[in-house]
Amino acid sequence: MLPSITTEMRNFLTDNAEEESIDVFGKNLKPYLLQRPIKGKAVIGLDPGFRTGCKVAVVDQFGKYLDSTVIYPVEPHKKEREAIETLKNLIEKYDVSLIALGNATASRETELVVNKLLKEVANVSYAVVNEAGASVYSASSLGEEEFPDLDVTIRGAISMARRLQDPMAELVKIEPKHIGIGQYQHDLDGKKLDEQLQKVVEDAVNEVGVTINNASYKLLGYVSGLNQNLAKRIEEDFKDGKLVYRKDLKTVKGLGDKTYKLAAGFLRFPDSPEMLDNTAVHPESYDIARQIMDKDLDNTNLEEIAKELEVGLPTLEDIVTELKKPGRDPREDNPEVITKQEIMGIDDLKEGMILKGKVRNITDFGAFVDIGVGIDGLVHVSKISDKFIKNPNEVLTNSQIVNVKVIEIDKKKERIGLSMKDVGEI
């Protein structure tokens, strides 16, 4: 009897732990997808490497590929000066103002070279980008479709640059389990994990909406009501100039009225002559929107208007929000990506320093925070809040920008202890 009970209890606890782990992965994934995009800047993507060199790709402000090369700034080649000159020429030629540096092999060594470069150019900064999944995308059929004539390593550099410009649009091209949202995924039920992560991606995409101008079919495929085949047809029809208005979606082969009702409100058409096509207002609510768009929306009794137009107050409030800021990206409310113009290392740290960092990963025992020194610091759960918390997820989200204090430095083991208590504002 005892062995049977023991086995049953072990299975019960294992199932509970697995469900909780899958839930944590989902919570880590969503804020990672919803990171604030950096718009309107041409970007250089750097995929560091030692023997094979550092792959360089330039994309314009819309993510369109412009140019690429390979430089050899670190060992064993050590052509640092030549690499800096090459990057300076690309910055000048394409008016680049931002560099996306991958965080994998040779990242730290390449960062030192980038730091020297920035001392010789004006108005350029850089950010370290998580490379997780870039190689998967580079070798995928989608990567080959997008850039059939480019080497897989250059595709990876392009992906890094685009991850700064629009993280969600780039990350959805990769299976969620490959984009670095936690450890020990192989210990979990693969099917359950995939299903949970796919739901998270769908929620994130539909929360933000998709701008039709530069959307890949992979991104469009996550829109409510659409599948990959319909997404491909929409992408092709837009490129052929067949989709100008939101209502033109009805002309897409296989896209019926039911699918149109499900998907239309999540697709944005910024170049449409109809202003409402670039908002989250559903076409079914256009008539209501037109009746109130000329009113002073800041000084209007919405309850009275809702009764007058026979529409629910929450729906009317949503319409008003969209009319005030048409084309608004909800991710703009999220913290800005931390960019740097100078480098720091663990040797530059001192206990008591207060720094700004980005939450990289959350576990039951604490949160790992990137403070820009090449090593993530740990904020133990007991150091996160002045009040008692059982789990870091109660107050933190992945990719959140936080202020931290350095409380412990172990240079030999390359460990940094951080605290979020008594840090104030920077």
Side-chain angles (χ1 to χ4, degrees), residues 96-374:
V96 172
S97 56
L98 189 59
I99 296 173
L101 174 64
N103 68 341
T105 306
S107 175
R108 193 62 182 167
E109 292 79 2
T110 305
E111 189 174 9
L112 292 169
V113 177
V114 170
N115 190 52
K116 292 179 181 178
L117 164 70
L118 297 190
K119 292 176 180 177
E120 300 181 22
V121 294
N123 302 317
V124 179
S125 56
Y126 76 97
V128 178
V129 178
N130 188 351
E131 279 193 35
S135 59
V136 175
Y137 160 75
S138 302
S140 69
S141 56
L142 177 59
E144 190 172 351
E145 282 178 37
E146 285 196 279
F147 306 105
D149 300 323
L150 296 181
D151 184 81
V152 291
T153 57
I154 297 299
R155 294 175 197 159
I158 294 172
S159 180
M160 305 226 195
R162 288 178 168 181
R163 286 185 188 196
L164 279 184
Q165 293 179 319
D166 192 337
M168 186 174 71
E170 196 62 24
L171 291 171
V172 296
K173 299 175 183 178
I174 306 160
E175 284 188 62
K177 62 185 178 183
H178 291 310
I179 61 177
I181 41 95
Q183 297 176 318
Y184 308 116
Q185 297 179 41
H186 55 276
D187 291 333
L188 305 175
D189 184 309
K191 185 177 180 182
K192 288 182 179 179
L193 179 62
D194 287 344
E195 288 176 353
Q196 174 67 12
L197 297 183
Q198 289 293 331
K199 289 178 182 176
V200 172
V201 176
E202 289 174 12
D203 287 346
V205 171
N206 289 294
E207 182 178 324
V208 173
V210 176
T211 299
I212 196 75
N213 292 39
N214 53 4
S216 67
Y217 72 82
K218 192 74 175 179
L219 180 61
L220 288 166
Y222 283 107
V223 172
S224 177
L226 300 183
N227 55 39
Q228 290 295 305
N229 289 332
L230 275 175
K232 284 184 178 180
R233 291 186 197 127
I234 291 173
E235 183 182 38
E236 290 167 1
D237 284 3
F238 178 78
K239 288 178 179 177
D240 291 340
K242 298 177 182 178
L243 304 180
V244 178
Y245 292 87
R246 188 179 262 167
K247 63 185 179 182
D248 292 338
L249 288 167
K250 295 179 180 179
T251 65
V252 176
K253 184 179 178 181
L255 200 154
D257 289 340
K258 185 176 180 180
T259 302
Y260 177 75
K261 288 181 180 179
L262 286 171
F266 301 112
L267 296 172
R268 313 282 188 268
F269 288 73
D271 297 328
S272 170
E274 170 57 74
M275 182 270 285
L276 295 172
D277 285 350
N278 192 34
T279 69
V281 178
H282 195 278
E284 292 180 339
S285 299
Y286 277 13
D287 287 341
I288 295 170
R290 292 189 181 106
Q291 292 181 62
I292 66 170
M293 62 171 46
D294 293 329
K295 296 181 181 292
D296 182 358
L297 299 177
D298 291 319
N299 299 293
T300 300
N301 190 321
L302 295 184
E303 290 186 7
E304 290 183 3
I305 294 179
K307 291 178 182 178
E308 180 185 331
L309 299 178
E310 298 181 349
V311 62
L313 182 59
T315 300
L316 186 63
E317 288 174 341
D318 288 343
I319 293 173
V320 168
T321 299
E322 289 298 315
L323 290 177
K324 286 181 177 180
K325 293 184 178 180
R328 171 183 169 274
D329 188 332
R331 293 174 295 176
E332 291 175 2
D333 295 333
N334 296 336
E336 292 184 7
V337 174
I338 298 176
T339 58
K340 300 182 285 185
Q341 291 186 314
E342 60 181 358
I343 194 171
M344 280 185 64
I346 191 170
D347 291 334
D348 299 312
L349 295 181
K350 293 180 181 178
E351 291 186 13
M353 267 187 173
I354 296 177
L355 304 166
K356 194 176 287 289
K358 179 179 179 180
V359 178
R360 284 282 297 276
N361 195 17
I362 299 175
T363 67
D364 286 343
F365 57 82
F368 290 94
V369 177
D370 177 8
I371 55 173
V373 298

Side-chain angles (χ1 to χ4, degrees), residues 78-110:
K78 200 63 178 174
K79 297 179 181 179
E80 184 179 289
R81 188 68 247 166
E82 181 182 310
I84 289 175
E85 291 302 323
T86 299
L87 292 174
K88 285 172 67 175
N89 290 336
L90 291 173
I91 289 170
E92 183 178 355
K93 183 177 180 180
Y94 298 109
D95 194 23
V96 172
S97 56
L98 189 59
I99 296 173
L101 174 64
N103 68 341
T105 306
S107 175
R108 193 62 182 167
E109 292 79 2
T110 305

Side-chain angles (χ1 to χ4, degrees), residues 8-71:
E8 189 173 335
M9 283 301 298
R10 182 182 291 114
N11 290 338
F12 172 76
L13 293 173
T14 300
D15 288 344
N16 279 356
E18 185 174 74
E19 287 181 12
E20 186 171 336
S21 296
I22 290 174
D23 185 54
V24 168
F25 282 128
K27 288 178 178 177
N28 283 346
L29 176 60
K30 189 168 183 179
Y32 188 43
L33 293 171
L34 295 179
Q35 292 176 89
R36 184 171 179 166
I38 298 179
K39 299 179 180 179
K41 292 186 177 183
V43 181
I44 286 179
L46 295 183
D47 183 3
F50 286 113
R51 183 180 57 82
T52 57
C54 179
K55 279 62 69 177
V56 183
V58 187
V59 298
D60 70 10
Q61 59 181 324
F62 303 110
K64 181 182 177 183
Y65 168 72
L66 297 174
D67 204 345
S68 63
T69 188
V70 181
I71 57 177

